[in-house]
Amino acid sequence: MSVTNAADRPAPADCMSMAEVRQGVDALDRQLVLLLAERQRYMDAAARIKQDRDAVHDAARIEDVVAKVKAAAREAGLSVEIAEPVWRLLIDRCIAYEFGVWDALRQKA
């Protein structure tokens, strides 16, 4: 799957129909999937690198990531009411995924 660029979708302000809105949303969703897949590969790397299973869940790191996301959201014009719960869920699911990878890597050894 390749990343779409802005030319592959209408700008939100230029949308004159729901079909155009949906075209834009679908194109962005494809980009988000690619970015999330890359983020997941970083979780694979983290699971490989972390020697202690307890290090997989790091409360301080979670709050650091959320604070950075909220700042970036404000700067980008994204509602913090959207950004924060989305990232908290993303982090939660990534931690669960990383635990699974961590365990699977250690079972092979």
Side-chain angles (χ1 to χ4, degrees):
M1 183 184 282
S2 64
V3 175
T4 59
N5 60 43
D8 296 332
R9 63 181 188 275
D14 295 338
C15 290
M16 301 302 288
S17 69
M18 283 308 299
E20 290 175 320
V21 169
R22 290 177 181 131
Q23 177 188 355
V25 169
D26 290 348
L28 287 171
D29 284 347
R30 289 188 298 274
Q31 287 182 286
L32 288 169
V33 166
L34 292 172
L35 290 170
L36 289 171
E38 183 175 359
R39 191 182 201 283
Q40 179 180 296
R41 289 189 291 276
Y42 283 106
M43 299 305 96
D44 292 333
R48 175 178 43 81
I49 292 167
K50 292 176 183 174
Q51 295 302 308
D52 184 354
R53 192 175 193 277
D54 290 338
V56 172
H57 186 276
D58 181 344
R61 173 65 178 151
I62 293 168
E63 294 310 313
D64 179 56
V65 169
V66 170
K68 289 174 184 172
V69 164
K70 288 168 62 175
R74 287 185 198 97
E75 187 175 311
L78 172 62
S79 167
V80 172
E81 287 75 23
I82 293 173
E84 183 174 2
V86 167
W87 256 266
R88 286 194 183 276
L89 179 59
L90 175 62
I91 291 165
D92 179 67
R93 300 317 312 145
C94 285
I95 290 169
Y97 173 82
E98 188 180 333
F99 272 124
V101 173
W102 196 97
D103 290 343
L105 288 171
R106 278 27 177 221
Q107 288 174 357
K108 291 179 183 177

